[in-house]
């Protein structure tokens, strides 16, 4: 059970209600009015908990589980233990996410400006929005309804934020427009100058960065990540994209909807990602490239060329995934060969 | 045109004035009193905008541009469209940077300590310096003239800062001396303990870190970067060096003037960079090394040995650039060969 | 001598006292009542300074040193310069750390809540604890004795912190339990949501992250590092582990005691490190792996498989260290061979 210091469980919910939330069908022979009180993993769940099976690897745990109810794919219904209520869906993990959100909803913002927050009188704050202690909201900023501006966050001058958006503790925003239902994690930096300057023997000369950062709706930006504003065009993070912690996004980068950028990756200036591109952890993409829709970049790889839509690349410099595997295998074989020869000598 | 919410254009300027700012010559047949109102890229510029051509790749865009004026190299003067005013210089990009700075000067600091800033009574704050809401300035700190200490930044006890320096939102400084015209971006950490401890079977024993961080004049340090203070000697960032976001600089590192450290790179303890060294993104340098003047380290490379002045290295472990290219090519050929053989079988 | 603006030397101490602090024996022929005033490196130390020799590479510097006293291994006693007092120990570097800590103790916290700090009335603050200007402590938080909550740090609701722990400037904590004698550096983010969501064609669905972060006693977490809370189980950092700057620790990661995670490394979700694992800088470990006790992961390597206890791995993808060296050598030989052939043609 989650630590009640940090998590407050909602509910209880009837099986019928959970089926509606999950978009699932109730399995045969179960009373839809049975009541459930919490979510739990298969091995820890008890008779009033809802669990889920998403990976066939865990079928044995499913068969042994004491969970009162379980979200499952139609294929495994026949393997359920006796007496377990089933919520049947083709997407058990999505369904679990929705059920868990119902049991553990985000607490509502505490509407109003807390003591110790500093809000410029010209800023507009929407209804139901919380500005926590120590937060600073600059002149002319416009924040929508039901937002949460956490402690010691800084919303810069004339920044605009949609509805139901969270700005985490100690994050800072400038020169940006932020959508609705966006989650900016603690310590994120958005809208700072891009890394643009003219090299000159007498010293570097800063080129004014005259663009913005546009964060579309439903985006998440992980802790301590940095997104620079455009040099003239804007830097754009597409709707629903998920950015993990400690990620760097350079100036003028644009990203279509649904991209996933895992921790410590970096995207250099002016590179364009189409929709649903995935970068695994610690990957890097050079500047001025085009990455096609649905492309997948392996962890730690270094992309130096355009990547066509739907392809996977790995290695540094990155090559198509199969070629990278061959490189790794070939190098392994060569060194094993060498070792054999050394032993024969 | 830059978003007027975030950018206020100065000017207008006559062609004569722009020539002076840019250090450029006015091309033949143009009235030096013609007035210009903004900067813009070649494809977006109109008759009252100033643009620039820095890369021959864009000569066609230049020929088709409607820009009223353009900063160009002498070599391309003959290819200008009719009626375009030319500002001729051997360094069009530097000249553009200067012109853009004139049109978009940094707003002057709002002199004074804002409500909600907390300044220790023993701190000294120079004339014209702004301490924004939520900023904290510790005992005995000394801040020069015309500085900008942004919201929720922390200037630690007895830290010294020169003139015209910016400390970004939520940045924190301790045990350091910062020069003039320095730009510390939001979330930067300067002066924290280096990673120094004695390994001991009964537990690690912290070694007090007794040095400082010295940031010389005209340095930039990008968002969320970290610079540890020296263990005994100082950590030193040389004049005019440009450090990008999420960079790690270990204790006792010294860096000559004019170095460029691109995002997510790291420099381990006690390594010495001579002047004008360039690290591309996500590169790493091991500790206790010497990197010669003007050396260039490729992105994602891992430097395990000293690098002589003027050389380029790449790969992990890093080797001279030509050798790295050969490694990449050889490995590519081997795997292609293997594939062919497999197909023949 | 350390800059007196930032460091206040304690002492002086007699040789006898220093021997006790260091757990060392006083060498023959020295007056135990001789008084020493500071620590210094061998080449800078004077007659009232204590230095140390930990690496035989520096024996010549030792022989030439003017240090009044030196912490040395028994093996080098015979090579000491005339008149130098010796403190003999098998662990000179640990001994030096202890002596340096005695000369440069951390200043005691300034007990109390500073003006400009915002502490919720339901929070409990232990005796002797300092809450500095701009810090925010949330409802129900419990902070032990003699802690230091630095300026603009945020201690979230119901977070618990042991005794003698430091939370650095602009750091933020939520959903976590922090031990005693822990040092959280500036800008660290602890307890934020793990990167967990269900992929769905209609958009990603956030999976509530219902675990915590547990930081055991004597841990250090370097500047701007990020530690996500567990998805259901907890994320655990084992006793005495040292985490450097800009490190990413994913949800559900557990780490035994005494691990060392060097700067810019990342550990993906659900990976388990046994005790005393070392990750060198910029290394990455994929998710759901087991890393055995005392394993050592080379800088920039990418670990894709379990690593047995006591082994060293390097490369990306990581292989046993000897194999990695062979790969590097083989590739070097191949490319040198190719070059020769090219020259012969």
């Amino acid at each position: 059970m989650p630590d009640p210091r940090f998590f407050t469980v909602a509910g209880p919910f009837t099986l019928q209600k959970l089926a509606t939330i999950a978009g699932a069908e109730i399995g045969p022979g179960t009373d839809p009015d049975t009541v459930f009180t919490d979510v739990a993993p298969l091995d820890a769940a008890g008779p009033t908990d809802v669990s889920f099976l998403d990976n066939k690897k865990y079928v044995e745990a499913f068969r042994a589980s004491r969970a009162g109810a379980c979200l499952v794919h139609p294929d495994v219904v026949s393997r359920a233990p006796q007496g377990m209520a089933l919520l049947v869906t083709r997407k058990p993990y999505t369904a679990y996410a929705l059920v868990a959100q119902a049991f553990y909803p985000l607490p509502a913002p505490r509407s109003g400006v807390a003591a110790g927050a500093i809000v410029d009188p010209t800023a507009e704050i929407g209804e139901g929005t919380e500005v926590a202690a120590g937060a600073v909201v600059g002149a002319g900023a416009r924040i929508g309804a039901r937002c949460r501006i956490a402690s010691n966050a800084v919303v810069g001058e004339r920044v605009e934020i949609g509805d139901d958006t969270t700005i985490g503790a100690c994050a800072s925003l400038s020169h940006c427009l932020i959508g609705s239902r966006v989650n900016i994690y603690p310590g994120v930096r958005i809208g700072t100058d891009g890394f643009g300057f003219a090299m000159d023997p007498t010293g570097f000369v800063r080129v004014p960065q005259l663009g913005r950062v546009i964060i579309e709706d439903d985006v998440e930006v992980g802790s301590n990540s940095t997104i620079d504003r455009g040099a003239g065009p804007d830097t754009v993070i597409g709707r629903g994209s998920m950015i993990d912690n400690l990620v760097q996004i350079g100036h003028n980068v644009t990203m279509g909807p649904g991209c996933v950028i895992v921790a410590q990756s970096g995207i250099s200036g002016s590179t364009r990602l189409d929709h649903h591109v995935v970068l695994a952890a610690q990957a890097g993409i050079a500047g001025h490239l085009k990455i096609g829709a649905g492309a997948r970049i392996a962890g730690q790889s270094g992309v130096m060329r355009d990547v066509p839509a739907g392809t996977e690349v790995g290695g540094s410099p990155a090559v198509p995934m199969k070629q990278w595997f061959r490189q790794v295998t070939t190098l392994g074989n060569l060194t094993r060969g060498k070792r054999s020869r050394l032993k024969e000598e």
Side-chain angles (χ1 to χ4, degrees), chain A:
Chain A
M1 197 185 68
D3 186 333
R5 276 173 292 203
F6 301 120
F7 303 97
T8 305
V9 67
F13 299 109
T14 62
L15 193 62
Q16 183 61 62
K17 174 75 176 169
L18 292 171
T20 306
I21 290 166
E25 306 258 317
I26 298 178
T30 317
D31 177 1
D33 293 329
T34 316
V35 156
F36 294 90
T37 60
D38 208 342
V39 287
L42 285 168
D43 58 349
T48 64
D49 292 327
V50 185
S51 196
F52 72 102
L53 173 64
D54 184 45
N55 186 326
K56 294 206 172 164
K57 199 164 81 173
Y58 298 111
V59 165
E60 286 312 308
F62 171 58
R63 296 180 58 144
S65 177
R66 295 177 52 250
C70 194
L71 295 149
V72 295
H73 192 273
D75 289 354
V76 293
V77 163
S78 63
R79 310 183 69 174
Q82 278 229 332
M84 181 188 277
L86 297 183
L87 291 163
V88 184
T89 164
R90 295 190 172 276
K91 303 189 284 190
Y93 193 53
T94 301
Y96 169 73
L98 294 167
V99 165
Q101 286 180 3
F103 277 110
Y104 293 95
L106 290 180
R110 296 192 185 105
S111 178
V113 175
I118 302 155
V119 177
D120 190 275
T122 63
E124 294 175 27
I125 310 285
E127 198 171 348
T129 283
E130 169 180 4
V131 183
V136 177
V137 179
R142 298 172 63 180
I143 302 177
R146 299 172 305 277
C147 290
R148 191 187 306 265
I149 313 298
S151 285
N152 289 346
V154 177
V155 177
E157 296 180 6
R158 284 173 295 284
V159 163
E160 302 199 1
I161 299 176
D163 297 328
D164 302 293
T165 283
T166 294
I167 309 299
C170 307
S172 58
L173 313 179
S174 74
H175 305 86
C176 61
L177 308 180
I178 310 281
S180 291
R181 299 174 304 281
V182 168
N183 196 342
I184 304 296
Y185 282 60
V188 167
R189 312 292 158 208
I190 292 180
T192 44
D193 285 62
F195 200 57
F197 44 87
M199 302 271 192
D200 198 88
T202 63
F204 304 126
V205 184
R206 247 295 165 197
V207 177
Q209 302 288 300
L210 302 172
R212 308 165 298 181
V213 175
I214 311 294
I215 307 277
E216 297 182 356
D217 293 343
D218 300 300
V219 164
E220 298 206 359
V221 183
S223 299
N224 284 351
S225 287
T226 56
I227 304 180
D228 287 345
R229 74 173 183 268
D234 294 319
T235 304
V236 180
I237 309 298
R239 186 168 48 79
S241 291
M242 307 293 271
I243 298 176
D244 200 352
N245 298 346
L246 292 168
V247 166
Q248 153 70 2
I249 311 281
H251 57 179
N252 309 339
V253 167
T254 64
M255 198 180 289
C259 290
V260 175
I261 314 294
V262 184
Q264 295 180 317
S265 289
I267 305 176
S268 301
S270 301
T271 282
R272 303 175 75 88
L273 275 60
D274 205 332
H275 66 90
H276 292 94
V277 171
V278 177
L279 262 76
Q282 297 185 332
I285 305 185
H288 297 273
L289 299 182
K290 287 185 188 171
I291 312 296
R296 301 175 73 88
I297 315 296
Q300 292 192 329
S301 49
V303 178
M304 309 294 285
R305 301 185 182 188
D306 290 353
V307 177
T311 54
E312 286 190 63
V313 301
S316 177
V319 292
M321 207 65 181
K322 282 184 183 170
Q323 193 176 335
W324 185 49
F325 285 143
R326 276 201 304 272
Q327 287 185 4
V328 168
T329 309
T330 301
L331 204 47
N333 291 341
L334 278 171
T335 51
R336 270 192 291 278
K338 190 176 178 192
R339 185 203 215 167
S340 312
R341 282 201 303 278
L342 286 173
K343 281 187 179 166
E344 286 160 16
E345 282 164 17

